[in-house]
Amino acid sequence: MNDRTADFRLSAEELATFEEQGFIGPIKVYEPEEMEKRWNQIRRAIPDRSRAIYPEDALGAVTNLSNYDRHLDIDLLSEHIMQQAIVERVSSILGPDLLCWRTEFFPKYQGDEGTDWHQASTFAHSSGRPQIRWPAQNNAPAFGGTITAWTAFTHSTRENGCLQLMPGTHRVMNYDESLGMSYNPDTINKREKDNVRRGFFGYDYRELQKDPDWRPDESKAFSLVMQPGECVIFWSTLMHGSLPHTGSKKDYRMGFATRYVPTQVEVYPDLGDVSEYGGTIPLDNYASVLVAGKDEYGHNTLTDQNRRGHRFSPWDFREAYSG
Ligand SMILES: O=C(O)CCC(=O)C(=O)O
Ligand SMILES: [Fe+2]
């Protein structure tokens, strides 16, 4: 078990705010200099896919799938998903038994469109098949979802495409993820939505709207300007997106999203592969990581080490606080 160095449990007040707003943060995970050092190392490790769990030729032409799950082969990312400042806060929300089921890089480079507004509960939106399934009973939220911890690996500003959220929107789904969207990579960087250059990595998220005449209320948008090493924790069912990158070439933004669910959730239920963003990744080498507590359900394939042998040692928040 990991050594505890601090107490990052959310207070009753912070929890109430989280429940009301659907997010908490920004919070500091790393000092900016420390983040810059780590990002430099991670950046240099990314091109080597020799131990990545998805083969290069499965990824398709557009990069989204290549950005998945590098915490399973890059040590600094394996460490990142276990950061106490993140995991303990997520545990305050979801309970003591936690899985990390997905990580994703979200880069924005000069000229890139913003990410269009969206909400995710099953993550079926792009592939057409649910990627997480909550049990119907007990403490499940009204319509599933995951907790995402989005960490700014570089500065995140309005000019370089910072993340945006609409506080308090996590309890009503405006989208039906089962409707299906058509993939058209030629539309990337070419469209405007309500006068802002936004898109969804080759999809049009607005095809999923329950009411075709509804529009996201831009006046509710909250822009998350963040220092390197800061993180925001939010329900994936919260309305979120990002601004286009209108800044300089040097000033790219790099977000890293880590997605957590409690152990009773089924990850990739009945799926052998994932087809989205123009590629198909086999799940043969896929496993979730137990980041805290125990798995008493056995729904999911877990791994206790990454593909270089770095061990994942889960936190035990229950034990530490019961004394
Ligand atoms: O970083 C972005 O532009 C989008 C991030 C996002 O949609 C997510 O983390 O779920
Ligand atoms: Fe998202």
Side-chain angles (χ1 to χ4, degrees), residues 20 92 194:
E20 175 84 20
S92 295
D194 304 320

Side-chain angles (χ1 to χ4, degrees), residues 134-194:
W134 283 75
Q137 73 288 5
N138 60 49
N139 62 347
F143 33 69
T146 189
I147 293 285
T148 295
W150 192 104
T151 304
F153 276 13
T154 64
H155 277 280
S156 185
T157 64
R158 282 186 186 78
E159 294 70 39
N160 75 8
C162 69
L163 192 69
Q164 293 188 303
L165 307 171
M166 292 187 186
T169 54
H170 53 301
R171 291 201 192 88
V172 178
M173 279 294 280
N174 301 303
Y175 307 91
D176 177 348
E177 288 172 284
S178 71
L179 290 179
M181 298 184 281
S182 41
Y183 180 64
N184 187 355
D186 296 339
T187 63
I188 295 174
N189 292 332
K190 303 234 169 67
R191 286 183 178 164
E192 279 199 2
K193 300 286 178 185
D194 304 320

Side-chain angles (χ1 to χ4, degrees), residues 94-256:
L94 294 178
D97 303 320
L98 282 183
L99 302 177
C100 167
W101 68 278
R102 160 81 59 79
T103 60
E104 272 172 76
F105 287 104
F106 282 103
K108 293 287 176 208
Y109 300 108
Q110 187 180 42
D112 280 356
E113 64 190 5
T115 305
D116 198 13
W117 293 106
H118 62 287
Q119 296 168 297
S121 60
T122 65
F123 283 76
H125 45 251
S126 304
S127 67
R129 297 180 295 181
Q131 299 186 353
I132 50 174
R133 182 158 68 207
W134 283 75
Q137 73 288 5
N138 60 49
N139 62 347
F143 33 69
T146 189
I147 293 285
T148 295
W150 192 104
T151 304
F153 276 13
T154 64
H155 277 280
S156 185
T157 64
R158 282 186 186 78
E159 294 70 39
N160 75 8
C162 69
L163 192 69
Q164 293 188 303
L165 307 171
M166 292 187 186
T169 54
H170 53 301
R171 291 201 192 88
V172 178
M173 279 294 280
N174 301 303
Y175 307 91
D176 177 348
E177 288 172 284
S178 71
L179 290 179
M181 298 184 281
S182 41
Y183 180 64
N184 187 355
D186 296 339
T187 63
I188 295 174
N189 292 332
K190 303 234 169 67
R191 286 183 178 164
E192 279 199 2
K193 300 286 178 185
D194 304 320
N195 304 318
V196 185
R197 268 183 0 98
R198 295 192 210 262
F200 198 80
F201 315 104
Y203 293 96
D204 181 353
Y205 217 83
R206 301 196 182 204
E207 291 175 10
L208 301 183
Q209 278 180 212
K210 288 180 176 170
D211 171 2
D213 297 328
W214 170 87
R215 290 286 169 274
D217 180 359
E218 292 275 353
S219 73
K220 285 199 187 133
F222 176 78
S223 295
L224 279 149
V225 173
M226 289 160 79
Q227 295 290 316
E230 284 188 324
C231 169
V232 59
I233 292 170
F234 62 99
W235 271 121
S236 58
T237 51
L238 186 69
M239 285 287 289
H240 63 286
S242 59
L243 287 170
H245 190 308
T246 56
S248 70
K249 185 167 179 188
K250 223 177 80 205
D251 180 33
Y252 66 93
R253 78 91 152 144
M254 184 60 71
F256 186 73

